[in-house]
Amino acid sequence: MKNKSFIDKSFMDDIGFKNIRSWLTARVSCKENINYFTQLTPTSNPENLIDSFSFTDELLKSLIRKENLLSPKLSDLSAVILSLEKIKSILEISEFVEIKTMIEYYFDMKKRFKDKQFNLWRKKISPIDNPENILNKINTIIDSKSNIRKTASKKLNEIILSINKVESRLETKIKSELEKYVKLGFLRDDKIVFRAGKVMLAVNSSNKNKIKGVVDGFSATRQTCFIQPISLVELTNRLSELEANKSREITKILKKLTLDISPFYNQLNDMYDLIKFYDKHLTKALIAYKINAIKPKFSNKLILKDAINPIFTLANKKYIPLDVTLGPNDKTIVISGPNSGGKTIVIKSIGLYSVMAQCGLFVPAKKVELPIFKTFLSDIGDKQSIQDDLSTFSAHMKSMSTIIEKSNQNSLIIIDEMGTGTDPDIGSSLSISILKKLTQNKSLNFCTTHLNPLKIWANENQNSKNACMEFDNDKIEPTYIFKLGSPGSSYGIEIAERMGVNKNIIKDASKNLNEKSFRMEKLLKETNDNHKKSLMQLEDAKKKNSKIII
């Protein structure tokens, strides 16, 4: 399909987009839109997306103003409206009620969007011919309690009058028969019993031959016999006949009503499409309001200011805001740093923000600027497959082969723990060659790693950058703050020491580090410390300047 992006299923799973889909599908008002949000995927047409954002934005601003917005709860009417084109179709009462409800929602929308704040929606709700006419036709036949009016036809009115008369006679006769047999002492219970819609007397089995009527059955102990007195049979049969006549007349009425509104098929279809369209944007506005999201912009840059992963927000969990600024020539970002420091969360979050924006959803941040991607690819987690006889490393390489083949200048690629699963030297060499190729293909690539050769390569390559997750050396714990421009240390020995590993083992491990690795780790730690000191000095300078100004 034109403008539809290619996105691998594993990418959607990796970034957690199913959580966003689940939230959206749980909050739609039109049932048909459940399928829309269940299958929500990115599109690559910026004009359509920007247009869509504008409709959502008007509704979001209304929510922020604490205004009440219409929530049109509708069943799936697509088949109902489509059946109006079929010659012999007859709509059910419930289906007419749904159409009536839909038309009333349309009138409510027209009234609600008269305000100047809803400029786009006011223009969107174009006049539809004769909606009052359709509504009047339905209201003439069906009342506010979803019942056919007795005045829907002359014949129906006559049948209902006859039914009322028979029911009245039947009620009188039942009372008479009950009193008579209670006095005679023939009954086991002095109450009327209903079995399969028939009026019965609960008679002592020993007296069953003393009552003229039709035996319907016995109790489990056979001590009670259920009899319909012969005097009631005729009235009951007459009532059944009248009910059948009523049902046939109602069918005729519904058939005529179906024919009467069939010419308005196009108008009804337009109304239904409009309400579904509104419900989609209302649902998008609701999640934007929930996660404090803003309308994203599209460009050849990637800028995120104070971005919050919505999955954490929806789960009521804390998350350190993410700040990233990349220019058009920044193609490969190599992220390093401590284990459990947030590297994987960063690349997943960037993938999630990009998918959300291209699905017409707002992004939770203070500023969002993203490229339009046509291909989304990922390699995250253990891809080991027993079924396909693939080791972890083999599975990663298979995934890499697909990524390289599909990557181009319109691709977003996220790769976790690059170069693992094999000899570190071989893993590094392969990873550098793969990153070179992806960079040459001009895709935007984010990868995490602990391998120093990748950090060195990123530092030396013109279109790549290092990034790291900060680490607090004093507390020996990650801060989860993303820092672009410098690599990070893995802090493996420090974390092992904090986790309680024997001090002698820690001391021996430090000695075993070869001189080159030791110097690299020391350099990375010093770089991180110096950066933090510089930031503290800058803050102090700002405070002093503010005092001087005062």
Side-chain angles (χ1 to χ4, degrees):
M1 186 183 291
K2 191 178 179 182
N3 298 323
K4 191 173 182 181
S5 298
F6 171 83
I7 184 162
D8 191 71
K9 182 183 179 297
S10 64
F11 190 99
M12 298 292 257
D13 293 338
D14 289 338
I15 64 174
F17 192 63
K18 65 179 180 181
N19 295 281
I20 305 300
R21 281 175 170 167
S22 296
W23 195 96
L24 293 165
T25 54
R27 283 155 183 84
V28 296
S29 293
C30 296
K31 285 190 177 180
E32 194 176 344
N33 282 341
I34 291 175
N35 187 54
Y36 168 80
F37 283 114
T38 300
Q39 299 180 13
L40 188 62
T41 50
T43 178
S44 59
N45 186 311
E47 290 78 18
N48 289 349
L49 287 166
I50 291 167
D51 182 61
S52 174
F53 289 151
S54 299
F55 282 99
T56 301
D57 196 41
E58 283 193 351
L59 299 178
L60 175 59
K61 287 174 180 175
S62 179
L63 291 172
I64 293 170
R65 293 191 299 267
K66 306 294 183 182
E67 296 172 351
N68 291 323
L69 287 173
L70 180 69
S71 182
K73 299 191 180 299
L74 282 180
S75 300
D76 187 344
L77 290 177
S78 53
V80 174
I81 294 173
L82 187 63
S83 68
L84 291 174
E85 286 194 309
K86 299 175 183 177
I87 298 172
K88 293 185 179 180
S89 64
I90 303 175
L91 298 188
E92 299 289 336
I93 295 175
S94 60
E95 292 170 337
F96 280 112
V97 171
E98 285 285 349
I99 290 175
K100 175 185 172 183
T101 302
M102 180 185 73
I103 297 170
E104 289 170 345
Y105 279 138
Y106 170 76
F107 285 127
D108 289 341
M109 284 178 67
K110 281 190 72 174
K111 184 179 178 181
R112 185 69 186 86
F113 293 137
K114 282 182 178 180
D115 297 346
K116 61 181 181 179
Q117 297 97 327
F118 299 106
N119 187 44
L120 284 172
W121 284 102
R122 190 169 60 254
K123 292 176 182 176
K124 181 73 177 176
I125 304 177
S126 56
I128 294 176
D129 294 334
N130 300 317
E132 296 91 347
N133 195 5
I134 306 170
L135 196 59
N136 289 337
K137 287 179 181 294
I138 295 173
N139 284 334
T140 301
I141 302 302
I142 300 171
D143 64 20
S144 59
K145 295 181 180 180
S146 304
N147 296 316
I148 295 286
R149 296 181 187 275
K150 63 181 181 180
T151 56
S153 77
K154 184 179 178 181
K155 186 174 180 181
L156 179 63
N157 191 35
E158 291 173 352
I159 293 171
I160 290 172
L161 288 173
S162 297
I163 288 173
N164 291 338
K165 288 178 182 178
V166 172
E167 284 179 339
S168 178
R169 289 173 58 197
L170 188 59
E171 187 178 342
T172 302
K173 194 66 178 175
I174 289 170
K175 187 177 180 181
S176 170
E177 292 290 291
L178 181 64
E179 289 176 353
K180 179 172 72 175
Y181 291 114
V182 165
K183 287 179 181 179
L184 291 171
F186 293 169
L187 304 184
R188 191 167 189 83
D189 194 348
D190 58 353
K191 294 179 183 178
I192 292 294
V193 177
F194 291 90
R195 284 168 62 94
K198 296 176 183 178
V199 179
M200 302 285 170
L201 296 175
V203 181
N204 286 314
S205 294
S206 58
N207 295 321
K208 65 181 175 60
N209 294 326
K210 297 176 183 178
I211 298 176
K212 292 182 179 181
V214 178
V215 176
D216 187 72
F218 292 86
S219 65
T221 60
R222 298 192 69 81
Q223 292 181 2
T224 304
C225 176
F226 299 103
I227 298 175
Q228 183 180 27
I230 198 70
S231 57
L232 300 180
V233 172
E234 184 180 343
L235 287 172
T236 303
N237 289 342
R238 176 58 181 158
L239 186 61
S240 298
E241 182 185 343
L242 287 170
E243 290 290 354
N245 292 342
K246 179 185 174 183
S247 180
R248 282 191 291 271
E249 182 60 19
I250 287 174
T251 299
K252 288 180 184 179
I253 292 167
L254 294 177
K255 184 177 181 180
K256 184 179 184 304
L257 183 57
T258 304
L259 287 171
D260 286 346
I261 70 166
S262 291
F264 301 101
Y265 163 79
N266 289 325
Q267 291 94 317
L268 291 170
N269 199 48
D270 288 345
M271 265 188 269
Y272 186 47
D273 286 343
L274 174 66
I275 293 172
K276 285 189 297 179
F277 181 80
Y278 165 76
D279 181 49
K280 288 172 187 176
H281 286 281
L282 176 61
T283 307
K284 290 177 181 180
L286 287 170
I287 193 170
Y289 183 77
K290 173 74 175 178
I291 63 178
N292 197 24
I294 64 168
K295 179 169 57 176
K297 294 180 180 178
F298 295 113
S299 72
N300 58 357
K301 301 174 184 178
L302 189 150
I303 301 173
L304 295 167
K305 177 67 176 172
D306 287 342
I308 300 288
N309 190 307
I311 296 172
F312 285 81
T313 305
L314 296 175
N316 295 316
K317 293 181 179 179
K318 290 184 178 180
Y319 176 75
I320 302 298
L322 175 64
D323 292 316
V324 186
T325 300
L326 300 177
N329 295 323
D330 297 325
K331 295 301 177 186
T332 299
I333 309 301
V334 176
I335 307 171
S336 49
N339 286 309
S340 302
K343 299 187 299 295
T344 306
I345 295 296
V346 165
I347 63 173
K348 285 183 175 183
S349 296
I350 291 170
L352 180 59
Y353 302 143
S354 299
V355 168
M356 286 178 70
Q358 289 185 228
C359 284
L361 300 171
F362 286 14
V363 176
K366 290 183 179 176
K367 183 177 181 179
V368 183
E369 203 167 318
L370 296 164
I372 287 283
F373 300 105
K374 294 184 178 178
T375 311
F376 297 83
L377 302 161
S378 67
D379 181 65
I380 295 177
D382 188 356
K383 307 292 184 182
Q384 186 177 31
S385 172
I386 296 173
Q387 185 178 357
D388 296 331
D389 195 25
L390 292 176
S391 66
T392 299
F393 180 71
S394 299
H396 279 304
M397 287 302 101
K398 185 178 179 181
S399 180
M400 285 297 108
S401 177
T402 302
I403 287 173
I404 292 166
E405 181 185 346
K406 290 185 179 293
S407 69
N408 56 53
Q409 62 183 0
N410 298 311
S411 300
L412 174 62
I413 298 169
I414 55 176
I415 304 169
D416 193 32
E417 299 291 354
M418 197 158 190
T420 57
T422 188
D423 179 275
D425 290 337
I426 295 172
S428 297
S429 179
L430 272 169
S431 296
I432 289 169
S433 296
I434 290 168
L435 290 178
K436 279 182 182 178
K437 180 61 178 174
L438 294 177
T439 306
Q440 288 169 6
N441 290 349
K442 297 183 178 180
S443 55
L444 181 56
N445 318 293
F446 292 88
C447 78
T448 70
T449 190
H450 289 284
L451 300 176
N452 287 332
L454 271 69
K455 304 172 192 177
I456 295 169
W457 174 83
N459 189 59
E460 295 174 347
N461 190 282
Q462 187 177 1
N463 297 115
S464 64
K465 282 186 175 181
N466 271 299
C468 70
M469 305 307 296
E470 282 192 352
F471 191 83
D472 190 322
N473 282 324
D474 297 328
K475 295 181 180 178
I476 315 179
E477 64 183 19
T479 65
Y480 306 104
I481 296 172
F482 177 80
K483 184 175 68 178
L484 187 66
S486 60
S489 169
S490 294
Y491 292 93
I493 290 177
E494 288 81 357
I495 292 172
E497 184 177 12
R498 185 181 176 229
M499 292 295 106
V501 175
N502 186 281
K503 289 184 179 180
N504 292 328
I505 293 174
I506 297 298
K507 190 175 180 180
D508 188 53
S510 299
K511 287 181 181 179
N512 290 336
L513 272 175
N514 62 53
E515 187 178 347
K516 186 176 179 182
S517 296
F518 180 79
R519 288 205 311 269
M520 174 63 79
E521 286 293 307
K522 186 178 179 182
L523 177 62
L524 293 174
K525 291 173 192 173
E526 287 176 353
T527 302
N528 185 49
D529 289 344
N530 291 335
H531 178 75
K532 289 178 74 176
K533 286 177 183 176
S534 298
L535 288 176
M536 290 174 67
Q537 289 170 358
L538 183 62
E539 285 295 318
D540 289 340
K542 285 180 179 178
K543 289 178 182 177
K544 288 177 182 178
N545 286 336
S546 65
K547 288 179 180 178
I548 292 170
I549 292 169
I550 292 167

